[in-house]
Amino acid sequence: MNVQHPDLLAEVRDFRARYPEIRYVDLICLDIPGHFYGKRYPVEMLEKVAAGGPLKLPQNCVLLGTQGGLYPIGDYCFADGDPDAPRRLVPGTLKPVCWERQPLGQMLITSDGTEAPIEFEPREVLARVLQRLARRGIRPVVAFELEFYLFDRTLKNGLPQYPRDALCDDEDDQPNMHIERLSRFSTVLHEMVEAANQQGVAANVITAELGPGQFEINFGHCDDGLKAADWAALFCRSTRGVALKHGHRASFMSKPYLDAPGSGMHVHVSLYDDAGNNLLDADGQRPLRHAVAGCLELLPHCMPIFAANHNAFRRYGAMVNAASRASWGFEDRDACIRIPESDGRNLRIEHRLAGADANPYLVLAAILTGMEHGLDAAKEPIPPLNEDRSSGIDFPTDMPAAVAAMRQSAAVNEGLGSEFVMVYCENKRQEYLDFINEVSAREYRWYM
């Protein structure tokens, strides 16, 4: 049960009363590649922060590369002395965790909403997009779906192995979507959902996916875009923790096996006005088509966000529900943008292009920017795949080309912020150069 508190201090004091055994709380924030960083605070010190005390972390933690390195970027990193930047506690996110060996809590922190927000912090980027939409009387309702793989806890020659189930200790090496897999791995899967629910994440439906040891867990629809992205981030953290507790490794890596399907991040988005009307359903669903057209137009320029590392590009062009061009369609899982069948009240797009290891704040910010761009331009989209299976728009298929396209897009620079685009593109460019100089086995560090 989520208890509403009048302020942060009441939330912390209630937490201490409920969980007197917890002495430390991890204060965590997501960096650009989608990894958590932060500090472990004694709970009594957390009470001082909640009462208005300062909370600062190094600004450049946000700029860590996927494999941990820092790169010289403009005036940041090695040119600014790595200054501290203020953070604030995110109300409602202080929760106990169930996967650690000792009693522990965690709470999200962010620079958005502080006196000096970090322009390139992912949560701040999304917050600015949502604020712009709110000024126009537009309120997104969002639901994430995340695919992931389970691996065996033990690596072999540094590489992940198929998971062994709890019933018969057999390797799950068969690609299928059989529901029996949910029984074979029911203990760990059910605890993943329960752990996410304990964090306030509305995780619910579990699906066995096509790849060996691959699953998908869905979230409920949320009328707070920041909270929806918080849920996706927190789910990745809790899922990895629960998997290790049960003798597995959980990976959200986009393409861990060359011969098996990749893992995607599917994002359902509706847009409502202040009166609660679904804007996409107005005027014969013309706004829906405009929003689709905008997403398709900006999609090639947002590929460094949707495919956030070198490995992620290997997922595209597969034979199973992974597009090779920007496309759309009604009830069509081969399309980047699928329109699920629904009544007008629940009309929405399902954006299916992002890899599961993409940053959820940035993915949602890019999708909303595309929808807004389409509504403003009022263009009609290309034909849906239902009418023309060859319909589509080419998008970059490697990181250097994707970075160049993102840098050059005036709409993306305006929608997401030019400072963010500069920092993000330079981070991805240098990260890619580091990666291609390493042996292929090192790619599995992407998810560790």
Side-chain angles (χ1 to χ4, degrees):
M1 177 185 296
N2 287 327
V3 178
Q4 299 295 319
H5 298 94
D7 54 40
L8 282 167
L9 186 56
E11 183 176 352
V12 174
R13 286 175 173 170
D14 179 65
F15 181 85
R16 294 188 69 180
R18 287 171 176 263
Y19 308 102
E21 72 280 8
I22 293 179
R23 300 300 310 279
Y24 292 92
V25 174
D26 284 352
L27 303 183
I28 54 176
C29 192
L30 215 61
D31 64 11
I32 277 179
H35 299 154
F36 279 108
Y37 66 93
K39 293 186 177 183
R40 182 163 292 181
Y41 258 59
V43 71
E44 60 271 13
M45 288 183 63
L46 180 62
E47 190 166 322
K48 295 179 181 178
V49 173
L55 174 63
K56 293 187 176 183
L57 275 76
Q59 173 181 272
N60 296 337
C61 288
V62 184
L63 299 176
L64 290 171
T66 299
Q67 301 197 66
L70 268 178
Y71 309 108
I73 300 175
D75 294 330
Y76 305 110
C77 298
F78 302 104
D80 62 359
D82 194 17
D84 281 343
R87 307 297 204 278
R88 66 177 178 87
L89 305 174
V90 177
T93 64
L94 178 56
K95 308 289 183 183
V97 303
C98 64
W99 56 87
E100 295 281 353
R101 293 182 179 179
Q102 69 276 8
L104 189 71
Q106 70 177 20
M107 190 173 197
L108 287 176
I109 59 174
T110 182
S111 78
D112 83 73
T114 66
E115 293 182 357
I118 302 170
E119 288 185 79
F120 45 80
E121 184 199 338
R123 200 176 193 273
E124 163 65 9
V125 174
L126 175 57
R128 290 200 305 266
V129 173
L130 290 168
Q131 289 162 9
R132 188 172 67 239
L133 292 175
R135 289 193 293 269
R136 301 179 59 168
I138 299 175
R139 175 177 55 85
V141 173
V142 181
F144 281 83
E145 301 171 350
L146 282 169
E147 295 174 329
F148 62 94
Y149 277 88
L150 285 181
F151 297 137
D152 192 74
R153 179 198 293 268
T154 303
L155 303 179
K156 185 176 181 180
N157 297 323
L159 300 179
Q161 305 299 301
Y162 294 123
R164 295 180 179 274
D165 68 37
L167 296 180
C168 55
D169 197 38
D170 286 344
E171 283 188 342
D172 182 16
D173 59 355
Q174 297 298 315
N176 60 57
M177 299 178 70
H178 296 168
I179 199 165
E180 286 84 358
R181 181 184 283 158
L182 300 183
S183 298
R184 294 174 61 190
F185 293 90
S186 62
T187 303
V188 61
L189 292 172
H190 292 170
E191 186 167 336
M192 285 174 176
V193 172
E194 290 173 357
N197 292 162
Q198 190 178 36
Q199 297 304 307
V201 178
N204 45 50
V205 177
I206 310 170
T207 305
E209 288 295 331
L210 186 60
Q214 187 185 29
F215 304 92
E216 178 182 86
I217 294 181
N218 300 349
F219 309 152
H221 290 259
C222 181
D223 62 1
D224 181 332
L226 282 173
K227 181 183 288 186
D230 288 342
W231 285 357
L234 290 169
F235 174 79
C236 292
R237 177 170 165 85
S238 64
T239 296
R240 289 190 179 100
V242 171
L244 284 173
K245 179 180 174 181
H246 286 268
H248 301 288
R249 293 175 184 263
S251 171
F252 293 88
M253 187 177 179
S254 289
K255 189 71 171 175
Y257 297 123
L258 282 173
D259 57 350
S263 292
M265 175 187 292
H266 306 152
V267 190
H268 294 250
V269 183
S270 302
L271 300 178
Y272 293 85
D273 63 19
D274 292 334
N277 301 306
N278 190 335
L279 295 173
L280 301 181
D281 190 44
D283 191 18
Q285 299 186 353
R286 191 181 303 273
L288 170 69
R289 298 194 296 276
H290 295 335
V292 168
C295 284
L296 292 176
E297 184 176 334
L298 294 197
L299 186 151
H301 307 283
C302 293
M303 285 303 295
I305 290 175
F306 299 136
N309 52 63
H310 175 62
N311 169 268
F313 283 94
R314 298 193 312 176
R315 174 170 161 262
Y316 302 117
M319 294 301 294
V320 183
N321 302 149
S324 56
R325 304 179 77 202
S327 56
W328 75 292
F330 296 92
E331 280 295 334
D332 193 319
R333 286 185 169 82
D334 288 330
C336 292
I337 299 173
R338 170 177 175 258
I339 311 302
E341 184 178 0
S342 66
D343 57 27
R345 171 68 184 166
N346 296 298
L347 186 66
R348 62 194 184 276
I349 72 166
E350 179 191 5
H351 202 289
R352 298 175 55 83
L353 189 68
D357 51 3
N359 188 303
Y361 299 106
L362 300 180
V363 168
L364 182 53
I367 293 170
L368 293 174
T369 297
M371 296 178 78
E372 182 185 28
H373 177 73
L375 293 174
D376 288 343
K379 293 180 180 179
E380 287 294 313
I382 59 176
L385 292 182
N386 313 88
E387 298 177 4
D388 180 0
R389 298 308 295 178
S390 66
S391 180
I393 300 169
D394 291 335
F395 57 71
T397 56
D398 61 67
M399 188 60 79
V403 164
M406 187 173 183
R407 285 187 195 272
Q408 295 165 7
S409 172
V412 172
N413 275 269
E414 181 180 356
L416 300 181
S418 58
E419 189 73 2
F420 161 74
V421 171
M422 182 278 292
V423 166
Y424 190 79
C425 287
E426 187 60 17
N427 179 277
K428 293 302 171 186
R429 185 188 73 83
Q430 297 199 49
E431 185 177 87
Y432 172 80
L433 292 176
D434 274 1
F435 178 76
I436 61 174
N437 291 325
E438 298 183 2
V439 295
S440 61
R442 286 287 298 278
E443 72 183 81
Y444 288 99
R445 286 188 57 195
W446 292 97
Y447 74 90
M448 296 301 184

